Amino acid sequence: MKILVTGGAGYIGSHVVNALGERGHDIIVYDNLSTGHEWAVLCGKLEIGDIEDSSRLNAVMNAFRPDAVMHFAALIQVEESVREPLKYYRNNVANTLNLLDAMDRNGIRSFIYSSSAAVYGIPDKLLVDESVPLHPINPYGASKAMVETVLGDMPQTGDFRFIALRYFNVAGADPKNRIGQAYLDATHLITRALKTAQGEFAKLFIFGTDYPTPDGTCIRDYIHVVDLANAHLLALDYLMETRRSDIVNCGYGRGFSVREVVAAAKKVTGINFPVEEAPRRAGDPPQLVADSTKLRSITGWQPCHDDLEFIIRTAWNWELKLKQLKKQL
Ligand code: UDP
């Protein structure tokens, strides 16, 4: 199939592009390289462009005539979204409408969308399934929920179909160590812990130790980026075969506390990096674990890397490589 991948030079997008390439798909990556990297595009052709640019989107689609669009291009930093909400609504909502318009103009009717568990806000259920009501608590989560609303209305207008994948905590890197997370200011727990182990930060802060969880720290469902990439490919197959729109959670259905992640990071790296307990971070739900029954049942998805230490080991290998790459630049 011919697939246009926006944001395909970014962390998750690049892993999906690699998986698509391995299965022989014809790919165009459309990315403005604001947080992505040319070296991360292992397959297909890179078109440097912004999803704000309707005429360029139109020209690329017109020339390539993709069978489907996979949309990863988005801003993803929760704290930044609170400080600069308009930037998030413009990029994540308005520019996604541009993309959908360009698809419409070019008769492209199949869409895979990167959504997030942030749409749930602070859910009152321990295991979150897709029927849990959406109550996003920051502009980032709200921007993802808004696009889901738009998508929900679109199949009724004609021959359009989509799958939205709600990601839980994505982590890890390509087991062959060619690609991985390379944001300038990474705030995520595993990356932060590993950068602390490397000495990039003096210590790791544990945000909140008084949550109503067994060890007082927040629990999250960490999913390996390669398992997430495979979920996208299966979702695409499902969409093209059944033409049925749906929304699916992506996670393993098992949570780890911050303390458990820190202990695993120390074990994998062999480094007893400094850790300090700190106050809660605003807007963190105590527990966020996916019920991914629907993803498994409709697409047949089965994870291959449901192992916290493997996730951390691949992320650690990547951090070590990234440090060498930075030295060479
Ligand atoms: N966290 C932490 N220290 C850090 C980064 C994150 O204690 O330096 C905690 C954070 O408060 C949350 C969990 O780790 O409870 C996962 O946070 P992350 O930013 O990785 O993902 P989120 O769940 O916010 O998307």
Side-chain angles (χ1 to χ4, degrees), residues 264-318:
K266 288 185 174 186
K267 184 174 167 204
V268 167
T269 60
I271 298 169
N272 187 20
F273 54 84
V275 174
E276 190 174 304
E277 296 186 1
R280 291 181 178 199
R281 195 173 68 173
D284 275 341
Q287 171 155 338
L288 209 45
V289 179
D291 179 339
S292 53
T293 308
K294 200 209 270 188
L295 171 67
R296 292 169 199 257
S297 67
I298 70 169
T299 70
W301 178 73
Q302 281 184 339
C304 301
H305 303 308
D306 180 2
D307 173 345
L308 183 63
E309 286 187 17
F310 180 80
I311 292 175
I312 294 175
R313 196 172 318 116
T314 56
W316 178 235
N317 289 340
W318 174 250

Side-chain angles (χ1 to χ4, degrees), residues 64 95 131 264:
F64 184 50
N95 291 352
S131 69

Side-chain angles (χ1 to χ4, degrees), residues 76 78 116 118 140 167-170 186-193 196 203-208 211 217-222 256-259 261-262 276 278-286 288:
I76 57 155
V78 169
S116 165
Y140 167 68
Y167 309 159
F168 282 63
N169 289 61
V170 189
T187 57
H188 289 122
L189 177 62
I190 290 178
T191 312
R192 210 61 199 198
T196 309
K203 56 183 121 169
L204 177 79
F205 292 104
I206 294 185
F207 297 134
Y211 283 99
T217 65
C218 289
I219 292 174
R220 295 289 181 273
D221 187 340
Y222 296 90
F256 291 95
S257 72
V258 175
R259 288 192 204 282
V261 171
V262 170
E276 190 174 304
R280 291 181 178 199
R281 195 173 68 173
D284 275 341
L288 209 45

Side-chain angles (χ1 to χ4, degrees), residues 145-215:
M146 281 176 194
V147 171
E148 282 195 11
T149 303
V150 173
L151 293 175
D153 288 339
M154 286 185 60
Q156 290 146 35
T157 66
D159 185 26
F160 176 89
R161 57 205 90 91
F162 74 93
I163 304 281
L165 295 97
R166 292 180 182 155
Y167 309 159
F168 282 63
N169 289 61
V170 189
D174 168 35
K176 291 186 184 151
N177 212 24
R178 296 162 298 177
I179 46 176
Q181 211 181 84
Y183 304 134
L184 278 179
D185 45 352
T187 57
H188 289 122
L189 177 62
I190 290 178
T191 312
R192 210 61 199 198
L194 297 178
K195 287 189 187 296
T196 309
Q198 283 212 343
E200 218 170 289
F201 299 104
K203 56 183 121 169
L204 177 79
F205 292 104
I206 294 185
F207 297 134
T209 52
D210 59 348
Y211 283 99
T213 58
D215 70 16

Side-chain angles (χ1 to χ4, degrees), residues 1 3-6 12 16 20 67-73 96 99-100 103 108-115 144 147 151 160-167 228-241 244-246 248 250 295 299:
M1 268 188 288
I3 316 289
L4 182 80
V5 185
T6 75
I12 298 170
V16 173
L20 287 168
D67 299 294
V69 171
M70 299 178 104
H71 179 35
F72 298 91
T96 298
L99 178 68
L100 291 168
M103 286 176 62
I108 302 153
R109 311 270 181 231
S110 301
F111 190 61
I112 301 286
Y113 178 62
S114 296
S115 189
K144 291 286 169 183
V147 171
L151 293 175
F160 176 89
R161 57 205 90 91
F162 74 93
I163 304 281
L165 295 97
R166 292 180 182 155
Y167 309 159
L228 183 69
N230 287 335
H232 284 77
L233 267 65
L234 292 167
L236 178 68
D237 288 345
Y238 172 84
L239 189 68
M240 301 314 268
E241 274 162 29
R244 252 185 245 143
S245 297
D246 218 327
V248 290
C250 297
L295 171 67
T299 70

